[in-house]
Amino acid sequence: MRRSFVLAALSALALHTSVNAQQPPAGGGRGRGGGRGTPIAPGESCPAGTTEIRPRSCMAPEFAPPSILDYRPKSTLVVPAHMVKTAKYPAIDFHGHPQGLLGNAQGLDSLGKAMDELNIRMMVSADNMSGDRLKNTLASLKTSEKLKDRVRILAGISFQNVGPGWAEKAIAQLEADVTAGAVGIGEIGKGLGLTTKKPDGSRLKIDDPELDPIWDAAARLKLPVFIHTADPSEFFKPIDYNNERWLELSLFSDRRYPQDRFPSFETLSAERDNMFRKHPKTLFVAAHMGWIASDLGKLGKMLDEMPNVYTEVGAVLYDIGRQPRAAHDFFVKYQDRILFGKDSFQPEEYPYYWRVFETKDDYFDYYRDYHAFWKLYGIDLPDEVLKKVYYKNALKITPMLPQNGWPK
Ligand SMILES: [Zn+2]
C-alpha cells in the first residue's frame, strides 16, 4: 500500500518537475484531476502492473517500476530514536548457536567480548550436542575463566532408528549427558515431524508414542525441552505474489515445503500440541513463539491450555515489532512464560531486540529485509517483564543454570 502510494506520488511529481535523464517519462504529460485511470468493478482488484489511485480506478506508473529488490525508499519520518546497544538487564540467550566458538580459546574470547558488549550474561548452547562432542566442548569451556560459568549446554537427542529399544538407549545417553553437564534438551530441530523417517520409511510424527519415554525422562531429570517445530506458515503455502515470504522463498530453496511432499503447517502444529498435552509434567519451550507470533491470540490460547509450555522469541522479532500494542499486552499477560533467545549468533543483530523490547520508538528498520517488508516499533516493556523475559523465566525452568548473582 505504502509502496503503491509512493509510486503514484512520484508520477504526479514528475508532471511538475523536469524529469532526470535516468527515468524519462514513458509518455506525454496528462492533466491533473479526473479522467485518469482505468475503472474496475466493485470487489475487483487492479490488474497487474497498476495500482488503485482513486476508488475503483487503476493506473500504471509512468516510469518503469523498480523490482522489490531495488526499491529502497528512505523514510522522511523524524521521531525520537533510542539505539540500545546493551540490554538493560543481564540476559540469558536460551537459543544460542555459538557453534564453533566454544571449541577453542580464540572463539571463546570473541564470544565473551560480544556477550559483555551486549550484556548477555549467559549463553545456552542449543546445538544438539551429545556424547564426546558435548564432553569436549565442556572441557574447552572450563579453560575459559571468563565463560566457564556463563555458557551452559543443552543435550541433543538422536531420532534415527526410532523403534523397539530406541528409548532405552536414548535415555541412557541423555543421563550420561546430564552427568557430563547438560542442563536441558535441545534444540530439537524442525526435522522431527517434517523430514525424519522411521526405519520402515514412514514419517516420524512428533507425537509418536515411541518417543513418550524420552519426554517423561526429561521431566524426571528436570530438563526443559527446547523444541523447534515446523517453520513460518508461509513456507508451506503456494509461492505467489500474495505470499509474505515470497522473496525469502525465492532466495532459499530449502525453505520451501510443497504440500505434495511435506506435511502441512497445521498437521505439524497439531502433533506438537498433542505431544505437549500428553506430557503435562514435562516443561517444553516452543522455539520461535511456535511460529504463531503473527497470531498472538492463538499463541495465548496454547499457553492458557498448557501450563507446561513456555515460548521463546528467536527470529520472530519482525512479528513482535509490527504489532507494538498487541505485543506489549501479550508480553505483559504472559510475562511468566516467555524466554529471550536469539537463534543465529550475529552480535550486531541483538540490539534490534533490545530496542523493540525496551523502547517505544516508532517505525525503524529491521535487520533482514528479506524476512519483512515492514518496519518495527518498540513495545516498551515494564522493567519487571523485561527481567522475566531476559533471565528470570529461564532460571526458573532450568534449575541447573547458575542461579546466584542475578538482580532481584
Ligand atoms: Zn535454533
Side-chain angles (χ1 to χ4, degrees):
M1 203 57 204
R2 175 167 49 87
R3 185 172 298 130
S4 318
F5 172 78
V6 177
L7 282 173
L10 273 174
S11 356
L13 187 71
L15 300 173
H16 297 278
T17 50
S18 60
V19 173
N20 72 50
Q22 278 182 316
Q23 293 172 316
R30 279 166 285 180
R32 280 193 112 189
R36 292 185 302 169
T38 309
I40 50 169
E44 213 183 312
S45 39
C46 286
T50 69
T51 191
E52 194 165 6
I53 52 156
R54 295 289 186 276
R56 293 172 301 286
S57 176
C58 306
M59 197 165 110
E62 204 170 343
F63 310 145
S67 85
I68 57 172
L69 300 172
D70 299 327
Y71 188 55
R72 301 165 200 177
K74 286 204 175 118
S75 171
T76 55
L77 185 70
V78 181
V79 283
H82 306 86
M83 311 313 266
V84 188
K85 288 203 173 111
T86 302
K88 185 169 182 183
Y89 299 104
I92 296 175
D93 181 352
F94 200 81
H95 192 160
H97 289 301
Q99 295 184 337
L101 296 178
L102 300 182
N104 58 78
Q106 207 187 347
L108 286 165
D109 250 30
S110 71
L111 178 63
K113 209 169 146 258
M115 286 170 65
D116 283 348
E117 274 168 17
L118 298 162
N119 199 16
I120 296 169
R121 184 175 293 179
M122 182 160 298
M123 171 79 69
V124 176
S125 158
D127 283 327
N128 258 313
M129 285 189 239
S130 184
D132 285 347
R133 192 171 153 232
L134 175 76
K135 282 188 193 154
N136 294 341
T137 306
L138 285 164
S140 162
L141 252 183
K142 285 209 178 92
T143 66
S144 167
E145 270 314 305
K146 192 196 217 3
L147 291 187
K148 65 180 186 194
D149 295 322
R150 291 178 58 189
V151 177
R152 286 296 179 266
I153 298 183
L154 303 182
I157 305 285
S158 165
F159 295 104
Q160 298 311 309
N161 298 314
V162 171
W166 174 85
E168 290 75 12
K169 265 177 36 199
I171 291 170
Q173 182 60 58
L174 179 62
E175 286 171 341
D177 290 343
V178 171
T179 305
V183 301
I185 294 174
E187 165 181 15
I188 301 212
K190 58 186 161 191
L192 177 61
L194 194 57
T195 50
T196 307
K197 299 276 192 288
K198 297 182 81 166
D200 66 5
S202 63
R203 182 173 70 84
L204 177 58
K205 295 178 181 168
I206 302 164
D207 56 354
D208 190 300
E210 304 220 59
L211 302 179
D212 285 342
I214 197 89
W215 312 132
D216 292 337
R220 171 170 58 81
L221 297 166
K222 298 197 171 14
L223 304 171
V225 178
F226 183 51
I227 178 165
H228 171 156
T229 302
D231 252 344
S233 59
E234 296 290 87
F235 292 8
F236 297 78
K237 303 243 169 72
I239 307 169
D240 58 24
Y241 288 178
N242 294 131
N243 191 314
E244 229 176 15
R245 307 295 278 266
W246 180 92
L247 179 56
E248 180 168 5
L249 288 165
S250 183
L251 287 167
F252 304 108
S253 60
D254 58 347
R255 298 185 188 180
R256 303 170 196 156
Y257 305 124
Q259 290 299 281
D260 55 342
R261 285 196 284 131
F262 291 94
S264 68
F265 180 80
E266 292 71 24
T267 298
L268 293 165
S269 307
E271 289 173 4
R272 173 199 61 198
D273 294 354
N274 193 34
M275 188 265 281
F276 288 168
R277 272 187 216 103
K278 272 202 290 179
H279 301 278
K281 293 200 174 111
T282 308
L283 292 185
F284 293 98
V285 182
H288 310 295
M289 294 181 95
W291 295 120
I292 42 175
S294 56
D295 186 350
L296 291 176
K298 199 173 190 179
L299 182 56
K301 255 184 156 164
M302 176 176 156
L303 295 176
D304 288 341
E305 191 201 329
M306 303 174 221
N308 58 324
V309 175
Y310 290 73
T311 194
E312 176 271 340
V313 300
V316 289
L317 194 67
Y318 54 82
D319 269 338
I320 299 168
R322 68 165 155 169
Q323 45 178 336
R325 288 165 290 268
H328 171 94
D329 294 351
F330 181 88
F331 274 68
V332 168
K333 183 166 180 193
Y334 296 101
Q335 58 185 270
D336 296 310
R337 312 286 290 282
I338 305 169
L339 277 65
F340 172 71
K342 165 67 178 70
D343 198 358
S344 129
F345 183 71
Q346 305 288 343
E348 51 285 314
E349 293 175 350
Y350 286 80
Y352 291 84
Y353 286 75
W354 314 150
R355 190 179 184 190
V356 166
F357 294 144
E358 298 177 23
T359 78
K360 46 181 173 181
D361 283 0
D362 282 325
Y363 196 75
F364 52 89
D365 285 332
Y366 177 56
Y367 56 84
R368 274 187 210 166
D369 286 346
Y370 71 79
H371 271 177
F373 287 96
W374 53 84
K375 303 283 180 180
L376 304 186
Y377 301 80
I379 68 171
D380 194 26
L381 294 177
D383 288 348
E384 193 46 41
V385 176
L386 280 176
K387 289 183 193 172
K388 287 179 175 175
V389 171
Y390 281 175
Y391 64 92
K392 284 186 175 180
N393 293 336
L395 291 174
K396 182 179 71 180
I397 65 163
T398 320
M400 282 180 273
L401 286 179
Q403 300 279 329
N404 295 324
W406 298 90
K408 282 270 169 281

